[in-house]
Amino acid sequence: MSRTTLDLWVGIFVAMGIAALLFLALKVGSISGSEIRSPYTLTAHFDNIGGLKARAPVKSSGVLVGRVEQIRYDNERFQAEVVFTVDGRYKFPVDTFANILTSGLLGEQYLGLEPGGEEKTLAPGETIKKTQSAVVLEKLISQFMFDKAAEGEPAPAK
Amino acid sequence: MGGLRKLGSVAIEVVWQLGFIARFFWLILVYSGQSFTRLNLTIRELYFSGVLSLLIILVSGLFVGLVLGLQGYEILQRYGSSDSMGTMVALSLLRELGPVVAGLLFASRAGSAVTAEIGLMKVTEQLKAMDMMAVSPIARVVAPRFWGGVISMPLLAAMFSTMGIFGGWLIGVVFIGIDDGAFWSQMQAAVDFRYDVLNGVIKSCAFGVAVSLIAVFQGYDCVPTAEGVSRAITRTVVSSALAILALDFVMTSFMFRGL
Amino acid sequence: MSDPLVRLENVRFAYGERTILRDISLSIPRGKVVAIMGGSGCGKTTLLRLIGGQEKAVGGQVRVDGQDVATLGRDALYAMRRRMGMLFQFGALFTDMTVFDNVAFPLREHTELPAELINDLVLMKLHAVGLRGAARLMPGELSGGMARRVALARTIALDPMLLMYDEPFTGLDPISLGVIGQLIRRLNDALGASSVIVTHDIQESLQIVDYIYFISEGRVVAEGTPDEIRHTTDPFVHQFVHAEVDGPVPFHYPSDDYAAALTGGKA
Ligand SMILES: Nc1ncnc2c1ncn2[C@@H]1O[C@H](COP(=O)(O)OP(=O)(O)O)[C@@H](O)[C@H]1O
Ligand SMILES: [Mg+2]
């Protein structure tokens, strides 16, 4: 009977499969690096979130500190409400500034946190008061063109 | 008019078949006890569907990775971001190509073999003989083959992706000369364990269930003749491919909606 | 012997619309060997499957050892089948196992016996059919006659009370044919079992059975002991007996078998 060799092969097969899964989890997916530990939730309101999506990174000084959980429209304030989690190791002052930024010129958008100077820190579930909306490229361009036009037009008129 | 009627009858046939498969699936689950209490039954099937598929999976994974590396480099360097090659190769393999291509290969390598084996057992009345010996063919023959496939598939898909990433690394780092550190660190920064790796594994598990179910069902349900078996094998490969692609579409739209 | 082991009463059976058996009543007394004869496709295999509970009669009753087969649940049916053995027309050996493992299969599935005891039992059964030396062969390496004897050994592995043989003589050379015939009789008597043989081979059957039923058009058209059959004036039986006796004996059967296989396959 070749039962033992068959068992051996299956053992090798399963071990290889598990090794591959571990490789994908640890080396490729870096299970530890992207993990956010004991997260707490914060909320911020924006006039315009631009292209921000759920699961977008939350960064402070360029370091990943959390992720956007949920985006919805607040019909009472007529604003976008962004709920995001922050790693429990990091605390931010109550006067922290929340910006929607773009990595590079056309890259993905993320939530940037700029700490203020207060002693008191944001407790879980609290809302960030100071926010700045996303820069919308179309608006920027039309503004720029409008300014140019305004610059150039008055001269011959005067 | 005739066309419409034909379409109707085909639709009824499909629904009927689906109901039958669902009932068969239920029976397999009910009779699965033996597959785990008598582990050597399942180990034997792991050998036939897993170990014997190993070679084709590893070789194909490597080639897919090599091609992804070449194509990815060609495209990425236009935007000056050839460092992201690792990211591109890893994400395409983990999310889509790993589970899907491994699933397609698995269906044609192992699925068809399972269908042929069960079909031939039916033709030669082995299943009926077993039933007359008071041994349930579903418990003894079908369920272990089903579980063998279900367990093999995610392992094979993971090995496929690993080989693919290795292929991408060969092209990128060894042949083109991208910095080794940049290759891995960019990849690690972009690949999320839960979102990319785990979703890929979930996909491959779903494909494993679908392919194994189709394979054992086609074998068990085949017309017990040589021609019937050959048709059943064809049906296994074709409907597995369709099931994998359709499931992939549905699961992708649920899993990766946010981005 | 009071009540028979198997009794069919006015059994009717149809595959969908096609009625195969119209009105069959027969009984298999305990300890006897009974033959059921009829042309190809007349429903002989179907009859065995009704007794084994793989098909359910549309009308009438099939009683085995006092139980109505049609009313048994799955567990009760499987319990009953453990005491039955069926030899399939083409042996139906498990092609992925050795001869030894084939014969050991029912023992391993249904008993908790230790490996040495199973080993001894299997060798005993193989010895009974004269194939102890073939234990390590695969089914593909056996001739037709040997395969059928191995299947026979597997069938008797659990010492069944009822043995069913589906065309045990077809496709065999005359020597193997005689061997199988003698085995059927000897095993029946040694096990104290009862046997049903479904066949077209009247010559072989007349020598070994206790009672014969003839089936045609879904009905029992004649019956009797071998002596009664030999001297009958019944035109059907007469023709049946004569057609077989006059021809070049063994060479007719393979073609009959081929026809049976074709009609069986089409359905
Ligand atoms: N599963 C089935 N479905 C439909 N018809 C069948 C099936 N099995 C057998 N038949 C038909 O029933 C008839 C009797 O078959 P069978 O009992 O195998 O005949 P025999 O064994 O006497 O040659 C044949 O005409 C065959 O075509
Ligand atoms: Mg028959």
Side-chain angles (χ1 to χ4, degrees):
Chain A
M1 283 228 270
S2 60
R3 259 256 312 276
T4 47
T5 48
L6 191 141
D7 286 348
L8 180 68
W9 273 109
V10 173
I12 293 172
F13 168 70
V14 173
M16 279 173 69
I18 291 173
L21 281 171
L22 285 178
F23 170 78
L24 296 180
L26 299 175
K27 181 83 177 161
V28 178
S30 62
I31 193 168
S32 47
S34 67
E35 201 184 32
I36 293 163
R37 274 183 240 159
S38 51
Y40 62 96
T41 348
L42 295 174
T43 310
H45 292 92
F46 295 91
D47 289 330
N48 193 331
I49 57 160
L52 193 72
K53 298 271 167 58
R55 284 193 24 84
V58 177
K59 294 181 177 177
S60 187
S61 308
V63 178
L64 182 79
V65 296
R67 284 210 183 270
V68 172
E69 283 300 308
Q70 203 178 35
I71 296 172
R72 54 177 172 240
Y73 187 64
D74 184 338
N75 209 183
E76 274 158 32
R77 307 169 64 131
F78 302 111
Q79 272 185 320
E81 185 184 72
V82 175
V83 181
F84 58 97
T85 56
V86 174
D87 192 310
R89 288 170 296 177
Y90 310 125
K91 298 285 176 214
F92 291 93
V94 284
D95 59 345
T96 295
F97 221 119
N99 295 321
I100 293 178
L101 301 168
T102 307
S103 52
L105 187 57
L106 299 167
E108 63 167 355
Q109 289 190 298
Y110 64 95
L111 196 61
L113 298 181
E114 256 174 61
E118 290 271 350
E119 289 282 303
K120 212 167 148 260
T121 57
L122 284 162
E126 276 196 305
T127 302
I128 293 182
K129 305 279 173 346
K130 295 158 80 177
T131 64
Q132 190 187 341
S133 289
V135 176
V136 178
L137 203 61
E138 296 94 304
K139 269 193 184 171
L140 207 67
I141 292 168
S142 60
Q143 182 110 35
F144 174 76
M145 305 231 291
F146 185 77
D147 288 352
K148 277 282 180 214
E151 244 170 53
E153 242 170 49
K158 258 176 202 171
Chain B
M1 237 21 240
L4 204 65
R5 179 174 303 167
K6 193 157 182 208
L7 194 72
S9 74
V10 166
I12 289 172
E13 176 70 17
V14 166
V15 172
W16 193 73
Q17 188 91 346
L18 271 182
F20 194 32
I21 292 185
R23 193 158 61 93
F24 188 68
F25 187 31
W26 174 244
L27 273 181
I28 293 177
L29 296 185
V30 169
Y31 288 114
S32 282
Q34 272 198 1
S35 308
F36 298 100
T37 52
R38 292 172 60 188
L39 215 54
N40 61 339
L41 291 182
T42 310
I43 286 180
R44 184 181 169 278
E45 302 313 323
L46 270 173
Y47 179 79
F48 285 109
S49 57
V51 176
L52 295 186
S53 308
L54 208 51
L55 192 65
I56 187 170
I57 288 284
L58 294 181
V59 171
S60 314
L62 182 64
F63 277 112
V64 168
L66 293 173
V67 170
L68 275 178
L70 287 175
Q71 294 280 15
Y73 178 72
E74 209 272 321
I75 293 167
L76 290 172
Q77 70 158 349
R78 291 188 205 172
Y79 303 100
S81 51
S82 49
D83 280 357
S84 324
M85 201 178 102
T87 310
M88 201 213 75
V89 171
L91 283 184
S92 11
L93 279 166
L94 290 172
R95 288 184 176 185
E96 291 296 336
L97 292 176
V100 171
V101 179
L104 294 176
L105 290 171
F106 180 72
S108 35
R109 171 66 187 80
S112 60
V114 164
T115 305
E117 201 186 3
I118 297 181
L120 284 173
M121 289 184 83
K122 184 172 179 179
V123 173
T124 52
E125 292 193 305
Q126 294 178 45
L127 297 182
K128 264 184 199 145
M130 210 176 259
D131 190 40
M132 267 311 293
M133 284 185 245
V135 175
S136 159
I138 296 202
R140 185 64 172 63
V141 174
V142 172
R145 282 168 178 72
F146 173 78
W147 287 111
V150 169
I151 297 169
S152 299
M153 183 63 233
L155 300 178
L156 289 170
M159 288 186 234
F160 185 94
S161 296
T162 303
M163 277 311 273
I165 290 168
F166 173 66
W169 177 83
L170 268 186
I171 292 289
V173 176
V174 177
F175 291 111
I176 295 173
I178 294 172
D179 178 60
D180 191 38
F183 183 91
W184 291 111
S185 63
Q186 289 242 357
M187 189 193 298
Q188 284 182 354
V191 174
D192 184 67
F193 171 71
R194 193 169 54 96
Y195 196 61
D196 300 310
V197 180
L198 211 58
N199 276 346
V201 173
I202 292 172
K203 270 188 181 180
S204 60
C205 290
F207 298 164
V209 172
V211 173
S212 306
L213 181 61
I214 289 171
V216 291
F217 175 78
Q218 293 294 359
Y220 197 78
D221 186 50
C222 77
V223 178
T225 59
E227 194 203 5
V229 174
S230 89
R231 280 222 213 110
I233 295 170
T234 310
R235 269 205 302 271
T236 291
V237 176
V238 172
S239 34
S240 294
L242 288 178
I244 287 173
L245 295 173
L247 268 177
D248 184 50
F249 170 71
V250 173
M251 293 179 80
T252 303
S253 63
F254 275 106
M255 288 172 168
F256 302 101
R257 219 170 8 182
L259 285 179
Chain C
M1 292 278 158
S2 51
D3 84 300
L5 182 61
V6 178
R7 183 196 283 284
L8 274 71
E9 282 165 12
N10 309 106
V11 167
R12 201 158 61 76
F13 180 79
Y15 283 114
E17 300 283 287
R18 262 181 74 205
T19 303
I20 308 291
L21 303 175
R22 286 168 209 287
D23 180 11
I24 301 270
S25 297
L26 54 81
S27 57
I28 297 157
R30 291 173 197 270
K32 302 285 189 218
V33 180
V34 173
I36 297 174
M37 303 215 166
S40 302
C42 75
K44 302 183 300 294
T45 302
T46 308
L47 196 68
L48 290 185
R49 297 180 59 199
L50 282 167
I51 298 174
Q54 285 191 322
E55 301 285 356
K56 296 225 183 311
V58 179
Q61 256 192 357
V62 180
R63 301 185 80 84
V64 177
D65 202 20
Q67 289 172 299
D68 183 349
V69 173
T71 61
L72 294 179
R74 182 179 172 273
D75 289 341
L77 191 62
Y78 267 18
M80 194 187 80
R81 282 185 192 164
R82 282 184 209 191
R83 300 191 293 148
M84 292 179 170
M86 171 119 119
L87 184 71
F88 280 72
Q89 196 163 347
F90 302 103
L93 291 176
F94 301 129
T95 40
D96 57 340
M97 300 178 193
T98 62
V99 165
F100 182 94
D101 290 334
N102 262 285
V103 180
F105 183 86
L107 294 166
R108 288 182 179 145
E109 294 293 324
H110 291 309
T111 67
E112 302 285 324
L113 297 176
E116 307 85 63
L117 197 52
I118 287 187
N119 184 61
D120 294 350
L121 281 172
V122 170
L123 292 182
M124 271 164 59
K125 304 290 172 188
L126 280 173
H127 189 73
V129 298
L131 287 176
R132 193 158 46 86
R136 295 288 156 221
L137 298 182
M138 295 302 283
E141 300 169 289
L142 303 175
S143 71
M146 284 162 83
R148 209 159 298 177
R149 275 147 72 191
V150 173
L152 187 51
R154 187 181 66 179
T155 307
I156 59 169
L158 288 172
D159 297 339
M161 63 173 181
L162 174 66
L163 285 159
M164 294 183 270
Y165 300 94
D166 192 356
E167 311 209 2
F169 306 123
T170 35
L172 295 186
D173 60 89
I175 298 170
S176 311
L177 193 145
V179 170
I180 294 273
Q182 287 313 306
L183 269 176
I184 289 174
R185 183 76 235 183
R186 277 222 321 269
L187 287 171
N188 187 73
D189 298 345
L191 294 171
S194 317
S195 304
V196 199
I197 305 174
V198 148
T199 179
H200 333 117
D201 189 311
I202 191 147
Q203 289 312 311
E204 193 58 39
S205 311
L206 284 172
Q207 290 172 28
I208 57 167
V209 305
D210 300 308
Y211 205 79
I212 301 177
Y213 288 94
F214 285 89
I215 294 181
S216 177
E217 313 255 304
R219 289 191 169 78
V220 176
V221 290
E223 58 182 284
T225 61
D227 275 341
E228 287 167 358
I229 295 296
R230 281 195 192 97
H231 302 114
T232 188
T233 51
D234 184 294
F236 178 85
V237 177
H238 199 259
Q239 188 199 345
F240 205 98
V241 174
H242 268 267
E244 302 286 337
V245 170
D246 282 345
V249 185
F251 299 108
H252 255 341
Y253 310 144
S255 68
D256 270 353
D257 185 41
Y258 185 49
L262 283 181
T263 42
K266 226 181 272 167

